[in-house]
mmCIF file of all heavy atoms in Angstrom:
data_model
loop_
_atom_site.group_PDB
_atom_site.id
_atom_site.type_symbol
_atom_site.label_atom_id
_atom_site.label_comp_id
_atom_site.label_asym_id
_atom_site.label_seq_id
_atom_site.Cartn_x
_atom_site.Cartn_y
_atom_site.Cartn_z
ATOM 1 N N ARG B 127 -19.000 -2.242 1.692
ATOM 2 C CA ARG B 127 -17.567 -2.548 1.804
ATOM 3 C C ARG B 127 -16.855 -1.638 0.819
ATOM 4 O O ARG B 127 -17.255 -1.522 -0.337
ATOM 5 C CB ARG B 127 -17.286 -3.991 1.433
ATOM 6 C CG ARG B 127 -17.698 -4.942 2.532
ATOM 7 C CD ARG B 127 -16.973 -6.253 2.360
ATOM 8 N NE ARG B 127 -15.554 -6.050 2.587
ATOM 9 C CZ ARG B 127 -14.609 -6.250 1.694
ATOM 10 N NH1 ARG B 127 -14.920 -6.647 0.484
ATOM 11 N NH2 ARG B 127 -13.349 -6.063 1.981
ATOM 12 N N SER B 188 -17.498 -16.927 1.864
ATOM 13 C CA SER B 188 -16.794 -16.735 3.133
ATOM 14 C C SER B 188 -17.653 -15.854 3.998
ATOM 15 O O SER B 188 -18.288 -14.924 3.521
ATOM 16 C CB SER B 188 -15.430 -16.091 2.896
ATOM 17 O OG SER B 188 -15.586 -14.772 2.456
ATOM 18 N N PHE B 189 -17.675 -16.180 5.278
ATOM 19 C CA PHE B 189 -18.508 -15.423 6.206
ATOM 20 C C PHE B 189 -17.641 -14.990 7.377
ATOM 21 O O PHE B 189 -17.183 -15.813 8.161
ATOM 22 C CB PHE B 189 -19.693 -16.310 6.676
ATOM 23 C CG PHE B 189 -20.743 -15.524 7.423
ATOM 24 C CD1 PHE B 189 -21.649 -14.736 6.736
ATOM 25 C CD2 PHE B 189 -20.799 -15.580 8.808
ATOM 26 C CE1 PHE B 189 -22.617 -14.011 7.416
ATOM 27 C CE2 PHE B 189 -21.769 -14.852 9.499
ATOM 28 C CZ PHE B 189 -22.683 -14.082 8.800
ATOM 29 N N GLU B 190 -17.396 -13.708 7.479
ATOM 30 C CA GLU B 190 -16.559 -13.135 8.541
ATOM 31 C C GLU B 190 -15.256 -13.914 8.673
ATOM 32 O O GLU B 190 -14.802 -14.204 9.761
ATOM 33 C CB GLU B 190 -17.323 -13.134 9.858
ATOM 34 C CG GLU B 190 -18.702 -12.505 9.697
ATOM 35 C CD GLU B 190 -19.246 -11.966 11.009
ATOM 36 O OE1 GLU B 190 -19.115 -12.647 12.032
ATOM 37 O OE2 GLU B 190 -19.813 -10.843 11.000
ATOM 38 N N GLY B 195 -17.628 -8.990 10.287
ATOM 39 C CA GLY B 195 -18.661 -8.136 9.747
ATOM 40 C C GLY B 195 -18.760 -8.152 8.241
ATOM 41 O O GLY B 195 -19.618 -7.512 7.648
ATOM 42 N N ALA B 196 -17.846 -8.879 7.580
ATOM 43 C CA ALA B 196 -17.863 -8.919 6.121
ATOM 44 C C ALA B 196 -18.060 -10.348 5.597
ATOM 45 O O ALA B 196 -17.634 -11.296 6.225
ATOM 46 C CB ALA B 196 -16.566 -8.337 5.554
ATOM 47 N N ALA B 197 -18.703 -10.436 4.443
ATOM 48 C CA ALA B 197 -18.921 -11.747 3.825
ATOM 49 C C ALA B 197 -18.795 -11.593 2.316
ATOM 50 O O ALA B 197 -18.875 -10.487 1.779
ATOM 51 C CB ALA B 197 -20.311 -12.255 4.186
ATOM 52 N N ALA B 198 -18.568 -12.710 1.636
ATOM 53 C CA ALA B 198 -18.373 -12.620 0.185
ATOM 54 C C ALA B 198 -18.696 -13.941 -0.511
ATOM 55 O O ALA B 198 -18.611 -15.024 0.064
ATOM 56 C CB ALA B 198 -16.931 -12.232 -0.126
ATOM 57 N N VAL B 199 -19.128 -13.813 -1.764
ATOM 58 C CA VAL B 199 -19.334 -14.965 -2.635
ATOM 59 C C VAL B 199 -18.411 -14.749 -3.848
ATOM 60 O O VAL B 199 -18.250 -13.632 -4.317
ATOM 61 C CB VAL B 199 -20.765 -15.028 -3.203
ATOM 62 C CG1 VAL B 199 -21.091 -16.434 -3.664
ATOM 63 C CG2 VAL B 199 -21.758 -14.496 -2.223
ATOM 64 N N VAL B 216 -18.387 -10.914 -4.946
ATOM 65 C CA VAL B 216 -19.383 -9.966 -4.461
ATOM 66 C C VAL B 216 -19.281 -9.952 -2.943
ATOM 67 O O VAL B 216 -19.347 -11.016 -2.315
ATOM 68 C CB VAL B 216 -20.807 -10.397 -4.895
ATOM 69 C CG1 VAL B 216 -21.848 -9.532 -4.206
ATOM 70 C CG2 VAL B 216 -20.938 -10.298 -6.398
ATOM 71 N N SER B 217 -19.095 -8.795 -2.376
ATOM 72 C CA SER B 217 -18.875 -8.743 -0.925
ATOM 73 C C SER B 217 -19.697 -7.622 -0.286
ATOM 74 O O SER B 217 -20.060 -6.661 -0.943
ATOM 75 C CB SER B 217 -17.397 -8.552 -0.601
ATOM 76 O OG SER B 217 -16.921 -7.380 -1.213
ATOM 77 N N GLY B 218 -19.999 -7.806 0.975
ATOM 78 C CA GLY B 218 -20.794 -6.808 1.680
ATOM 79 C C GLY B 218 -20.830 -7.122 3.171
ATOM 80 O O GLY B 218 -20.195 -8.079 3.617
ATOM 81 N N PRO B 219 -21.585 -6.320 3.926
ATOM 82 C CA PRO B 219 -21.702 -6.563 5.354
ATOM 83 C C PRO B 219 -22.389 -7.896 5.625
ATOM 84 O O PRO B 219 -23.327 -8.293 4.922
ATOM 85 C CB PRO B 219 -22.554 -5.372 5.843
ATOM 86 C CG PRO B 219 -23.228 -4.850 4.636
ATOM 87 C CD PRO B 219 -22.333 -5.143 3.487
ATOM 88 N N SER B 220 -21.945 -8.567 6.678
ATOM 89 C CA SER B 220 -22.428 -9.940 6.908
ATOM 90 C C SER B 220 -23.893 -9.980 7.362
ATOM 91 O O SER B 220 -24.524 -11.021 7.253
ATOM 92 C CB SER B 220 -21.534 -10.616 7.946
ATOM 93 O OG SER B 220 -21.438 -9.825 9.117
ATOM 94 N N LEU B 223 -25.359 -9.903 3.721
ATOM 95 C CA LEU B 223 -24.950 -11.114 2.991
ATOM 96 C C LEU B 223 -24.907 -12.294 3.951
ATOM 97 O O LEU B 223 -23.840 -12.810 4.283
ATOM 98 C CB LEU B 223 -23.580 -10.900 2.345
ATOM 99 C CG LEU B 223 -23.517 -10.154 1.021
ATOM 100 C CD1 LEU B 223 -22.081 -10.130 0.497
ATOM 101 C CD2 LEU B 223 -24.416 -10.785 -0.013
ATOM 102 N N MET B 228 -26.291 -15.469 0.315
ATOM 103 C CA MET B 228 -25.137 -15.679 -0.560
ATOM 104 C C MET B 228 -25.438 -16.828 -1.533
ATOM 105 O O MET B 228 -25.144 -16.727 -2.734
ATOM 106 C CB MET B 228 -23.893 -15.945 0.244
ATOM 107 C CG MET B 228 -23.387 -14.706 0.961
ATOM 108 S SD MET B 228 -21.658 -14.801 1.458
ATOM 109 C CE MET B 228 -21.800 -15.831 2.905
#
Side-chain angles (χ1 to χ4, degrees):
Chain B
R127 285 201 66 243
S188 68
F189 191 77
E190 309 204 317
V199 201
V216 171
S217 58
S220 53
L223 278 184
M228 288 200 282

